Structures are given as structure tokens and as C-alpha cells.
């Protein structure tokens, strides 16, 4: 047998071995990791001890704002649609009434174009989507100065867009993500009366669904510089969960967040679970949400981040994600929890 032939045979044997390993050992390994991660999450859930309920935010106002955004008249707030534009103009008016400073490129707005593209990603929670082009998308940005002008702003984000209307049916997007945007407004109202050391930049993002394009536009057009930001808190889906769990994503990448989350639990009336941020080689088939919403873009830009959100429910991305399904008490306490987190963060980063 010639040397070349031997080499070919050895190569073929290697390929066959790799295929066998992949088909036999890989699923078992992934299954083992998934099991370990499920056990870890169950342990966290059992250990989490909710504290007493709080009321610093106006809970009625939170629900009223959520209802306005998720109303069928908004037509699912697709980027560039009539309902989307209505929602954005309304948000700019709310920011003005609260007294936030315009921080877009055109007053409160940062207009941008959505490019049509096809998206499939397991990080988008297994979503497959064709994102239609929209000429007329826009983020809404308002700044609240802090007490210490030396500090970099903490950026609070929540996307206001959703899936629009399909076959005559409105995708109201109440949990996803009228809930996050109503909380964004609630926090702006609260902190305008109780300012922190840090400036707070409130950002209602467009065109999250499918491609995180609103968050990308913040950096692509250099409205924001990553090194000039202290932190990103992203809120996406806050208003319902059968197990009353709130996930906090980001402590795997940033372990210094863990003690902060521990302190947060002592002030929070919901169970906070640090999870859905571990890669496949740590957590198997457990979903990794590191890039699942707009915080993913901040992460890629190396801005420290946290994402707060609930687990997917049966009504996720369906016409059944309506305002009646919201759990008012859970939603109010999730919002209070995020308020507490921002206060803790403000103290933690007192010097930068
Ligand atoms: Zn969302």
C-alpha cells in the first residue's frame, strides 16, 4: 500500500470516528449538561426567599401605560407602521412631560432604516423570522441628569416594537414588550423625582423583533460610544409567569453581579433566578439568552449589562399575548425589583 493510500485510509477512519463520536457521545453529553443546569436552576428557585411587596412606583399608571401600548389600535407596533409611529410619538410626549432631555438625533427620536433580512438563531429563542424592510423606524431617547456630572450614564432599554398584524389578527405584544416599556416610563417618572448619582439614559428601542436593529443603530451611527456608558439594564417581558420567577441574565459573564443580585433578592417580592446566560458547553440545551434581546448588542460592544425577563410562555409571539393576561401584582413587583437594582447599581459604581 502506498503512503498516500495509507494517509487516505487513516483520514477516512478519523472522519468515521468523529461522526460516531458526534452522533453517540454528543447528545449524551449535552443531555447531562442540561440536567445539571436544570438542577442548578431548581436549587436557586427553592433557595430564593421573596421579601415583602413594595410600592414606590405608581402601579395603576404602569398598567395604564401597558394597556395603551398593547391596545388593538396600536396594531402590534410594527416598525414604521401607523401603530408603531403612534407609539413612538406618544413615548416622546411622555418623555417630554416627565422632563427628560431629548437625546436622539432629531429631538427625542433617532430615525433609522430597517433592512430586510432573514434571521434564524437559537439565541433568538429559536425564532425564525423574515424582518421586513421599514423606511421609518426610530428609537426614542431621553436623558435624566445625575447628581454627579462626572459619572457615565446607566442606559435603560426596552423595545416598543412588536410583530404587527398578520392575516387580520393583531399581535398586541402586551408582555412582549409593552410591559418593559411601561416600566421604563415608570422608572423615568420615579427617578425624575428621586435622582441618582448617575445620569440615566432612557431608551425605547424600535425593531428588536428578529434582529435587534434598534440597538445596533445606537452604535452603528455613533449616537452612543460604548466606552462612555456605565451599564445597560434591558427589560423585555416582565408581566407574567406561572411560577412567579424573574430571570436575571448576565452574572455568568460578569460574576461581580452575583453579590448584587443576592442583595437584590433580600429587597424583592419575586424570586430572582440567575440563569439562561450559560453557553452550550456549560448548560447543554438550556436556552442561552445572552443575545436574545437588545442587551446582546451592549454585550457585544463590551458594555456591562443585565437583562431582566420572564421565561417564554405559551402565548409568546402569538395573538394571545394580550393585556388581560398580565399578572398585575407580579408585574408591579418585578418593576419594583428593577428599581431596586438600579439603586444598588448606582451605589456600586459610585466612582465610575
Ligand atoms: Zn421582546
Amino acid at each position: 500500500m502506498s503512503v498516500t493510500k495509507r494517509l487516505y485510509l487513516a483520514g477516512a477512519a478519523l472522519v468515521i470516528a468523529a461522526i460516531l463520536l458526534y452522533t453517540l457521545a454528543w447528545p449524551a453529553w449535552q443531555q447531562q449538561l442540561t440536567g445539571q443546569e436544570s438542577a442548578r436552576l431548581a436549587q436557586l428557585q427553592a433557595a430564593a426567599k421573596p421579601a415583602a411587596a413594595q410600592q414606590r412606583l405608581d402601579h395603576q399608571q404602569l398598567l395604564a401605560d401597558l394597556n395603551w401600548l398593547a391596545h388593538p389600535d396600536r396594531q402590534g407596533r410594527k416598525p414604521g407602521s401607523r401603530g408603531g409611529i403612534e407609539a413612538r410619538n406618544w413615548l416622546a410626549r411622555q418623555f417630554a412631560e416627565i422632563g427628560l432631555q431629548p437625546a436622539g438625533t432629531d429631538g427625542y427620536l433617532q430615525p433609522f432604516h430597517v433592512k430586510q433580512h432573514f434571521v434564524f438563531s437559537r439565541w433568538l429563542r429559536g425564532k425564525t423570522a423574515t424582518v421586513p424592510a421599514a423606511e421609518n423606524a426610530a428609537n426614542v431617547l431621553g436623558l435624566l441628569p445625575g447628581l454627579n456630572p462626572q459619572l457615565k450614564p446607566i442606559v435603560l432599554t426596552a423595545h416598543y416594537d412588536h410583530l404587527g398584524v398578520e392575516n387580520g389578527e393583531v399581535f398586541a405584544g402586551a408582555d412582549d414588550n409593552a410591559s418593559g416599556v411601561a416600566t421604563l416610563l415608570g422608572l423615568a417618572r420615579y427617578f425624575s423625582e428621586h435622582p441618582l448619582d448617575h445620569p440615566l439614559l432612557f431608551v425605547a428601542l424600535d425593531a428588536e423583533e428578529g434582529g435587534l436593529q434598534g440597538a445596533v443603530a445606537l452604535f452603528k451611527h455613533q449616537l452612543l460610544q460604548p466606552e462612555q456608558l456605565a451599564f445597560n439594564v434591558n427589560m423585555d417581558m416582565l408581566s407574567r409567569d406561572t411560577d412567579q420567577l424573574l430571570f436575571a441574565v448576565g452574572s455568568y459573564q460578569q460574576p461581580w453581579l452575583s453579590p448584587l443580585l443576592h442583595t437584590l433578592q433580600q429587597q424583592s417580592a419575586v424570586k430572582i433566578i440567575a440563569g439562561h446566560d450559560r453557553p452550550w458547553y456549560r448548560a447543554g440545551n438550556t436556552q442561552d439568552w445572552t443575545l436574545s434581546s437588545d442587551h446582546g448588542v451592549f454585550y457585544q460592544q463590551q458594555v456591562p449589562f443585565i437583562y431582566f425577563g420572564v421565561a417564554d410562555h405559551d402565548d409568546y409571539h402569538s395573538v394571545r399575548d394580550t393585556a388581560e393576561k398580565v399578572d398585575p401584582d407580579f408585574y408591579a413587583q418585578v418593576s419594583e425589583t428593577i428599581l431596586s437594582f438600579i439603586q444598588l447599581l448606582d451605589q456600586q459604581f459610585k466612582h465610575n
Side-chain angles (χ1 to χ4, degrees):
M1 211 188 284
S2 75
V3 175
T4 341
K5 212 165 181 183
R6 273 169 206 266
L7 274 176
Y8 273 130
L9 277 175
L14 263 177
V15 168
I16 290 167
I19 289 171
L20 277 175
L21 196 72
Y22 181 79
T23 50
L24 298 175
W26 175 273
W29 180 48
Q30 289 292 290
Q31 205 178 359
Q32 193 196 353
L33 289 173
T34 310
Q36 282 168 4
E37 180 65 1
S38 302
R40 190 185 73 85
L41 293 176
Q43 218 169 28
L44 285 177
Q45 187 177 340
K49 296 278 173 282
Q54 303 216 50
Q55 180 147 21
R56 297 158 296 182
L57 298 166
D58 181 340
H59 297 172
Q60 289 310 315
Q61 185 72 51
L62 285 176
L63 286 175
D65 290 344
L66 184 153
N67 274 292
W68 192 89
L69 286 159
H71 195 277
D73 286 354
R74 303 293 96 68
Q75 301 199 309
R77 310 181 304 281
K78 199 172 199 151
S81 70
R82 183 179 61 73
I85 293 170
E86 230 173 72
R88 152 213 315 182
N89 292 336
W90 179 80
L91 284 165
R93 280 202 305 279
Q94 303 299 313
F95 279 13
E97 276 169 31
I98 295 166
L100 303 183
Q101 298 174 359
T105 51
D106 175 13
Y108 291 102
L109 303 185
Q110 182 204 15
F112 64 95
H113 289 200
V114 175
K115 290 206 186 75
Q116 170 151 14
H117 70 305
F118 180 75
V119 183
F120 176 77
S121 167
R122 62 175 286 186
W123 296 287
L124 294 172
R125 300 181 172 185
K127 260 180 330 203
T128 309
T130 304
V131 180
E135 285 298 305
N136 196 5
N139 297 326
V140 191
L141 298 95
L143 181 73
L144 184 67
L147 300 173
N148 182 347
Q150 314 258 298
L151 296 178
K152 298 172 181 177
I154 296 170
V155 188
L156 312 183
T157 50
H159 76 87
Y160 72 91
D161 67 301
H162 194 57
L163 302 170
V165 180
E166 267 174 59
N167 304 322
E169 289 194 289
V170 176
F171 287 68
D175 186 42
D176 185 10
N177 183 34
S179 67
V181 178
T183 300
L184 184 80
L185 287 174
L187 293 170
R189 291 197 179 95
Y190 180 84
F191 286 121
S192 67
E193 304 285 326
H194 306 86
L196 298 174
D197 283 336
H198 285 79
L200 297 178
L201 180 60
F202 294 89
V203 187
L205 288 163
D206 204 351
E208 183 270 352
E209 297 292 359
L212 316 182
Q213 293 195 50
V216 168
L218 292 174
F219 295 102
K220 191 164 79 182
H221 304 297
Q222 275 145 28
L223 179 57
L224 301 185
Q225 315 285 341
E227 63 282 357
Q228 285 165 17
L229 306 174
F231 198 88
N232 169 234
V233 180
N234 187 38
M235 299 168 278
D236 191 354
M237 299 169 62
L238 305 179
S239 63
R240 51 187 287 197
D241 183 59
T242 35
D243 296 325
Q244 310 267 296
L245 303 180
L246 175 65
F247 281 96
V249 171
S251 64
Y252 176 75
Q253 295 86 352
Q254 307 151 112
W256 61 267
L257 280 174
S258 295
L260 212 64
L261 290 175
H262 183 79
T263 310
L264 184 66
Q265 180 66 78
Q266 293 166 346
Q267 314 175 4
S268 169
V270 296
K271 292 187 173 191
I272 303 162
I273 311 288
H276 288 298
D277 47 10
R278 281 137 176 89
W280 56 269
Y281 53 85
R282 294 297 300 275
N285 297 317
T286 314
Q287 286 181 344
D288 179 2
W289 296 347
T290 307
L291 303 175
S292 74
S293 175
D294 296 307
H295 57 279
V297 175
F298 286 83
Y299 170 64
Q300 287 168 333
Q301 295 285 338
Q302 296 177 317
V303 178
F305 76 98
I306 197 163
Y307 161 52
F308 289 108
V310 298
D312 293 351
H313 39 74
D314 288 345
D315 299 337
Y316 172 69
H317 279 206
S318 87
V319 293
R320 300 181 307 275
D321 179 11
T322 54
E324 306 86 73
K325 300 280 183 70
V326 163
D327 175 344
D329 294 334
F330 174 73
Y331 174 49
Q333 293 310 315
V334 165
S335 303
E336 295 284 346
T337 300
I338 298 173
L339 190 164
S340 300
F341 178 81
I342 295 163
Q343 289 176 326
L344 289 171
L345 195 68
D346 183 55
Q347 292 309 302
Q348 173 101 6
F349 276 137
K350 231 174 164 36
H351 304 293
N352 57 13

